[in-house]
Amino acid sequence: MKVVVAPQAFKGTASAADAAEAMRLGVVRAMPDACVTVVPIADGGGGTVDALVTATGGRWVTSPAADPLGRPIEARWGVLGDGETAVIETAAASGLALLAHSERDPTVTTTRGTGDLIRAALESGYRRILVGLGDSATNDAGVGMAQALGFRVLDERGRDLPPGGASLARLASIDCEGAHPALASASVIALCDVTNPLCGPEGAAAVFGPQKGADPAQVALLDSALRRFAQVVKERMSLDVLDMPGAGAAGGLGAGLVAFCGAALRPGFEVVSAAVRLADSLAGADLVLTGEGRLDAQTRAGKGVCGVAALAREHGSPCVAAIVGLDAEGRAALGIDEVYELAPSQDEAGDTLQRIESAAARAVASFVGGIRIGS
């Protein structure tokens, strides 16, 4: 029996590699003779750099950067095994996990640290740069990133805007003269884990603002500010980013990367799964195990678990997820045959890796025991 184990990170509790090893142990416990292939995956969010660096035999780099509140930190990025491609995670310098809960406030948080890492990659000679856009603490449309790269974003009196998404409501012009010269020859690819547009009910502020600390009034303010950003970009740079799929990723950083870095927006799972050769691993698989911390409406918008399920379906392999529960309608929509919950509640006390291992063991035992997946 060939089993492919391909989870992504369980945010805040387990990396994709750790989750994959726990699943492997669960499979072996339930069926010692199984042939297990382990392929940790990512979708542009946390764990993307780790997955790509590991899969390609690359290396890690550490550089100084600003955190979402502008405080100095050391942040990691990677170089792929080709020696030519840098890969950066927004989460590394601009991530929600870098803040205490009481510090979350997307009206003032900045993507400047992500710009610091892009600048470090450019100044190290890399001209192909992948930027994963998940798990940010920001809603500034990448303006902080742009400022780190030499752009000036100005109000109507020609003054530089302060950090944060709220200040974009006063945006009047963009000065590109000081932009980092290496950007002209760089190819930047933004790895999106969602397809949300910049503004509106499915936009960056409305969908992701609350989890970043925004109350309803701030959500409305941030949405209006992002709309102002799109208007100025269209007027001054002849680019229409307002309704672009993925523009709302990372609080509008998707739009900012397009505007300031000429980036192409790509589904993060597609790039990562190709790099780790997931499709090759799925050939001949009898069962595919995947998982993440939670499946919800966002999962259908480019998340890794959904991508694994789709590839498994193409190969005719049942796909099982070890996650917090999902109803039958949700499973069908995502192409997942069965869900094995980690525990009655993910908040329940206990070691997450042990619960992942247990869920994987239950999945294999059920499959081997002849219980029809999805029945």
Side-chain angles (χ1 to χ4, degrees):
M1 178 179 177
K2 178 179 177 180
V3 180
V4 176
V5 168
Q8 64 185 84
F10 287 64
K11 292 181 183 179
T13 56
S15 69
D18 287 342
E21 175 60 11
M23 286 184 172
R24 186 193 70 79
L25 291 172
V27 172
V28 171
R29 173 156 60 90
M31 189 178 185
D33 294 334
C35 175
V36 186
T37 301
V38 175
V39 191
I41 57 99
D43 53 23
T48 296
V49 174
D50 187 39
L52 288 172
V53 169
T54 300
T56 64
R59 63 185 180 88
W60 291 98
V61 182
T62 301
S63 298
D67 83 352
L69 292 176
R71 299 171 297 204
I73 60 171
E74 294 289 319
R76 291 204 310 173
W77 51 284
V79 178
L80 302 194
D82 62 7
E84 299 178 353
T85 304
V87 57
I88 291 163
E89 264 178 35
T90 302
S94 308
L96 198 61
L98 297 172
L99 301 179
H101 195 275
S102 61
E103 295 177 323
R104 297 181 181 184
D105 183 354
T107 66
V108 299
T109 49
T110 174
T111 51
R112 186 174 192 95
T114 298
D116 291 334
L117 298 184
I118 294 173
R119 187 182 68 247
L122 292 172
E123 293 178 354
S124 296
Y126 298 102
R127 294 296 178 267
R128 184 171 188 265
I129 302 175
L130 309 179
V131 184
L133 298 189
D135 306 319
S136 80
T138 58
N139 204 99
D140 72 348
V143 162
M145 171 207 69
Q147 290 169 322
L149 292 171
F151 293 87
R152 296 184 67 198
V153 287
L154 309 169
D155 65 16
E156 62 182 6
R157 297 176 61 182
R159 300 173 299 189
D160 293 285
L161 293 181
S167 70
L168 297 182
R170 306 195 304 275
L171 179 63
S173 63
I174 298 170
D175 183 350
C176 304
E177 288 189 11
H180 199 293
L183 282 172
S185 58
S187 172
V188 179
I189 300 172
L191 308 182
C192 302
D193 63 347
V194 297
T195 56
N196 300 71
L198 190 60
C199 301
E202 298 298 319
V207 175
F208 306 111
Q211 72 190 39
K212 300 176 184 185
D215 62 30
Q218 289 173 321
V219 166
L221 169 63
L222 290 168
D223 188 71
S224 176
L226 289 175
R227 197 171 296 276
R228 175 60 182 168
F229 170 81
Q231 179 183 349
V232 172
V233 166
K234 187 173 183 178
E235 292 172 352
R236 304 284 178 164
M237 306 177 82
S238 300
L239 286 171
D240 189 351
V241 297
L242 183 62
D243 297 316
M244 187 179 292
L253 179 57
L257 283 164
V258 171
F260 298 114
C261 300
L265 300 179
R266 294 270 310 276
F269 175 76
E270 289 185 7
V271 175
V272 175
S273 63
V276 303
R277 303 183 68 177
L278 177 60
D280 293 344
S281 296
L282 291 174
D286 297 295
L287 180 65
V288 179
L289 300 182
T290 186
E292 65 167 314
R294 177 174 295 276
L295 292 187
D296 53 28
Q298 295 177 24
T299 306
R300 301 179 211 181
K303 298 291 187 178
V305 167
C306 187
V308 172
L311 279 179
R313 191 164 57 248
E314 289 178 14
H315 285 79
S317 302
C319 183
V320 171
I323 49 170
V324 170
L326 186 71
D327 61 25
E329 182 179 353
R331 290 199 302 270
L334 297 175
I336 293 171
D337 295 287
E338 189 56 273
V339 169
Y340 288 81
E341 294 188 42
L342 302 184
S345 166
Q346 185 147 12
D347 296 327
E348 180 178 300
D351 181 83
T352 299
L353 293 177
Q354 290 177 353
R355 286 185 279 137
I356 294 171
E357 180 181 338
S358 177
R362 282 184 285 136
V364 174
S366 175
F367 182 82
V368 173
I371 297 175
R372 178 178 172 80
I373 300 293
S375 62

